[in-house]
């Protein structure tokens, strides 16, 4: 690893177990910086049996001495942020002097939720399957240059003027399009002015902070949200999120230049899941899918929605690694496959009678994919908690070797259970990490 930085992101449609991986690796970093998304992304971390569900706050805060930074590419709901801070304090996690919010991050306000919820529920509208947390409309305002940033949230006069003007506009739009009842700007101002006072101690110029850490010889991990196939540019558009979930978003979403990024670590499940609407070529619609969902506890950390389950998709993984420039692959939930006799893996696509491994850019092409599978042997032994590669069943080792050979990235870690300790680091990756210690 060249610079003392690494991007950790999801290779698929999110929910790959990034939270656990970021937590495991965070002891080697001075700071963990989140660069995209909002509180629609949930990371579940289990430490010694205790469960932590983080939505906005980077996993680094669970490591004493590691700073957690919410970057400028994130959209911040102040009320959700303060609720999460309170929950961490109740669990005994100290956030003072350890958690920071970019003064350039965009703010989510109640009218963003109102617009998104109404749009998702409106008859005749294409349903994306969002969490209705206001994420998309907040990014829309950002790109329309009409949004409110955290630095503006701290200015009471500007906040009042902004809320009054925005409510006049958004209430009219929501009522005309969806028949929605109007929001009260005065009540909104009182609530968010009070929240701003509590958010203020966490606010800083996070880009300056992160660059300062690197100049001083420290190390930074950039924490992705959602997954590559939900990226606004490179994902299965329009069934995507509203931000840059790929590695490129780490630079634009934090203010650290792209030349400072040392390596990209891509996290993939040993199979694939997806939440919400949209194409999913290898989706399993029979009892085996139910089996994987039950064994993998495949329910959203934020919404509780059941995840759709499918077989490992090599063309998708290869595409993801290419888009991100992924050097390392982390495989999670290997133990979920322990009871299967055979494990199909998608190795290519057929679209309108033509064989290809290219990911179509359009939804029609994605929906027309007929997957071509090869079948690998199952191992029918428990892999849960195994932390040494050569102690895995031979068929499990071959499954991982196959994934490595076909995907174009080296496997550096394997997760064999939800707890922090149920993780193996492969020797080459462990050696590469040695250069990152702060």
């Amino acid at each position: 690893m060249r610079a003392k930085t690494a991007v950790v992101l999801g290779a698929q449609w999110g929910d790959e177990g990034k939270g656990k991986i970021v937590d495991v690796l965070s002891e080697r970093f001075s700071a963990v910086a989140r660069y995209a998304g909002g509180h629609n992304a949930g990371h579940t971390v289990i430490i010694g049996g205790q469960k932590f569900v983080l939505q906005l706050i980077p996993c680094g805060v669970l490591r004493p001495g590691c700073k957690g930074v919410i970057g400028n590419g994130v959209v911040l709901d102040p009320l959700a942020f303060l609720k999460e801070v309170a929950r961490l304090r109740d669990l005994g996690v100290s956030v003072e002097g350890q958690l920071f919010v970019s003064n350039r991050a965009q703010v989510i306000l109640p009218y963003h939720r109102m617009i998104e919820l109404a749009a998702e529920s409106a008859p005749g509208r294409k349903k994306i399957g969002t969490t209705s947390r206001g994420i998309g409309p907040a990014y829309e305002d950002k790109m329309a240059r009409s949004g409110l940033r955290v630095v503006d949230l701290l200015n009471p006069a500007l906040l009042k003027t902004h809320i009054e003007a925005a409510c006049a506009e958004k209430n009219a739009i929501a009522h005309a399009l969806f028949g929605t009842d109007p929001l009260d700007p005065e009540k909104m101002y009182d609530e968010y002015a009070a929240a701003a006072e509590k958010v203020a101690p966490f606010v800083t110029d996070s880009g300056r902070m992160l660059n300062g850490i690197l100049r001083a010889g420290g190390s930074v991990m950039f924490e992705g949200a959602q997954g590559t196939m939900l990226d606004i540019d490179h994902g299965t558009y329009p069934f995507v999120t509203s931000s840059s979930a790929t590695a490129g978003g780490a630079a634009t979403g934090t203010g650290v230049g792209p030349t400072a990024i040392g390596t990209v670590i891509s996290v993939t499940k040993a199979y694939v899941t997806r939440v919400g609407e949209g194409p999913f070529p290898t989706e399993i619609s029979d009892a085996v899918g139910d089996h994987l969902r039950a064994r993998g506890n495949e329910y959203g950390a934020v919404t509780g929605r059941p995840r759709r389950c499918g077989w490992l998709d090599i063309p998708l993984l290869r595409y993801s690694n290419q888009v991100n420039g992924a050097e390392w692959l982390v495989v999670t939930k290997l133990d979920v496959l322990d009871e299967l006799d055979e494990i199909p893996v998608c190795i290519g696509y057929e679209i309108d009678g033509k064989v290809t491994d290219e990911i179509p850019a359009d939804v029609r092409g994605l929906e027309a994919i007929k997957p071509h599978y090869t079948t690998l042997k199952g191992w029918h032994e428990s892999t849960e908690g195994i932390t040494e590669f050569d102690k895995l069943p031979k068929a499990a080792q071959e499954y991982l070797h196959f994934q490595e050979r076909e995907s174009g990235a080296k496997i550096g870690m394997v997760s064999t259970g939800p707890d922090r300790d149920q993780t193996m680091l492969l020797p080459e990756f462990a050696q590469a990490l040695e250069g990152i210690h702060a």
Side-chain angles (χ1 to χ4, degrees):
M1 296 180 185
R2 294 158 295 283
K4 287 189 170 185
T5 60
V7 181
V8 177
L9 49 75
Q12 299 155 336
W13 282 285
D15 308 310
E16 299 92 350
K18 298 180 295 295
K20 174 190 167 174
I21 302 309
V22 170
D23 172 63
V24 168
L25 295 176
S26 61
E27 66 175 342
R28 303 166 188 272
F29 291 85
S30 312
V32 175
R34 168 89 176 269
Y35 63 82
H39 65 306
N40 57 336
H43 289 338
T44 302
V45 178
I46 299 174
I47 305 168
Q50 187 174 20
K51 184 176 179 181
F52 299 85
V53 177
L54 302 172
Q55 294 177 14
L56 265 170
I57 295 175
C59 298
V61 297
L62 301 177
R63 292 276 187 186
C66 180
K67 291 181 170 63
V69 180
I70 294 174
N72 57 274
V74 173
V75 284
L76 183 105
D77 182 323
L79 303 186
F81 171 75
L82 291 171
K83 189 183 291 184
E84 198 168 334
V85 166
R87 197 162 58 239
L88 283 172
R89 284 175 173 148
D90 288 345
L91 291 168
V93 178
S94 173
V95 293
E96 278 67 32
Q98 196 175 343
L99 177 60
F100 301 90
V101 175
S102 170
N103 51 12
R104 291 176 169 84
Q106 293 279 321
V107 176
I108 297 174
L109 288 160
Y111 51 75
H112 292 127
R113 292 192 294 276
M114 172 183 72
I115 294 282
E116 185 169 35
L117 188 59
E120 274 286 277
S121 307
R125 293 281 293 242
K126 182 179 284 186
K127 191 172 177 63
I128 303 296
T130 73
T131 57
S132 297
R133 301 286 174 95
I135 310 299
Y139 277 114
E140 286 179 40
D141 279 0
K142 175 180 180 175
M143 292 308 176
R145 295 161 295 182
S146 61
L148 185 83
R149 301 201 296 179
V150 168
V151 67
D152 306 319
L153 180 72
L154 306 185
N155 181 329
L158 195 155
L159 176 63
K160 190 174 183 63
T161 304
H162 180 93
I163 285 177
E164 286 171 354
C167 278
E169 177 190 330
K170 308 292 186 186
N171 281 338
I173 291 170
H175 183 72
L177 291 179
F178 312 116
T180 306
D181 292 335
L183 295 171
D184 180 353
E186 195 171 321
K187 181 183 174 188
M188 192 186 303
Y189 169 74
D190 290 343
E191 189 173 24
Y192 280 79
E197 291 182 15
K198 295 176 182 175
V199 171
F202 299 99
V203 178
T204 190
D205 183 335
S206 58
R208 182 182 173 90
M209 169 188 277
L210 293 169
N211 280 290
I213 288 170
L214 293 174
R215 278 196 303 273
S219 53
V220 175
M221 175 163 39
F222 302 99
E223 178 183 26
Q226 285 90 31
T228 297
M229 301 311 294
L230 291 175
D231 182 89
I232 186 67
D233 289 295
H234 303 289
T236 49
Y237 189 91
F239 300 97
V240 291
T241 192
S242 301
S243 59
S244 297
T246 45
T252 56
T254 62
V256 174
T259 54
I261 293 174
T263 193
V264 177
I265 301 167
S266 187
V267 185
T268 172
K269 277 179 180 157
Y271 48 103
V272 188
T273 62
R274 175 165 198 166
V275 171
E277 307 297 321
F280 187 176
T282 65
E283 184 170 10
I284 309 166
S285 54
D286 59 19
V288 180
D290 296 335
H291 170 80
L292 294 181
R293 187 178 302 108
R295 273 191 62 84
N297 191 28
E298 296 296 357
Y299 297 90
V302 172
T303 63
R305 289 184 293 181
R307 296 175 186 143
R308 300 155 65 190
C309 295
W311 300 118
L312 186 65
D313 187 330
I314 292 294
L316 182 146
L317 189 54
R318 206 179 286 135
Y319 168 79
S320 172
N321 287 343
Q322 169 193 295
V323 166
N324 291 306
E327 182 178 7
W328 297 99
L329 203 59
V330 175
V331 180
T332 63
K333 295 202 170 184
L334 181 69
D335 54 301
V336 173
L337 304 180
D338 284 351
E339 295 178 0
L340 300 180
D341 295 321
E342 296 180 329
I343 306 169
V345 178
C346 174
I347 54 171
Y349 299 151
E350 184 182 317
I351 303 173
D352 298 333
K354 294 179 181 177
V355 176
T356 181
D357 63 356
E358 187 176 327
I359 304 290
D362 63 315
V363 168
R364 193 206 68 79
L366 286 159
E367 290 174 342
I369 287 172
K370 179 182 175 185
H372 283 193
Y373 290 100
T374 189
T375 302
L376 301 181
K377 286 183 180 178
W379 43 90
H380 266 289
E381 292 179 53
S382 175
T383 60
E384 187 172 359
I386 294 177
T387 56
E388 294 177 43
F389 189 85
D390 59 6
K391 291 187 177 176
L392 288 170
K394 286 289 184 281
Q397 292 182 33
E398 178 48 38
Y399 186 76
L400 294 169
H401 283 313
F402 181 87
Q403 200 166 339
E404 183 175 64
R405 285 195 305 271
E406 296 294 325
S407 72
K410 295 172 284 189
I411 292 180
M413 291 175 69
V414 181
S415 172
T416 55
D419 203 275
R420 181 187 270 178
D421 296 330
Q422 295 173 310
T423 314
M424 69 176 74
L425 266 68
L426 275 65
E428 190 181 353
F429 185 63
Q431 188 176 1
L433 286 173
E434 287 304 313
I436 267 192
H437 272 296

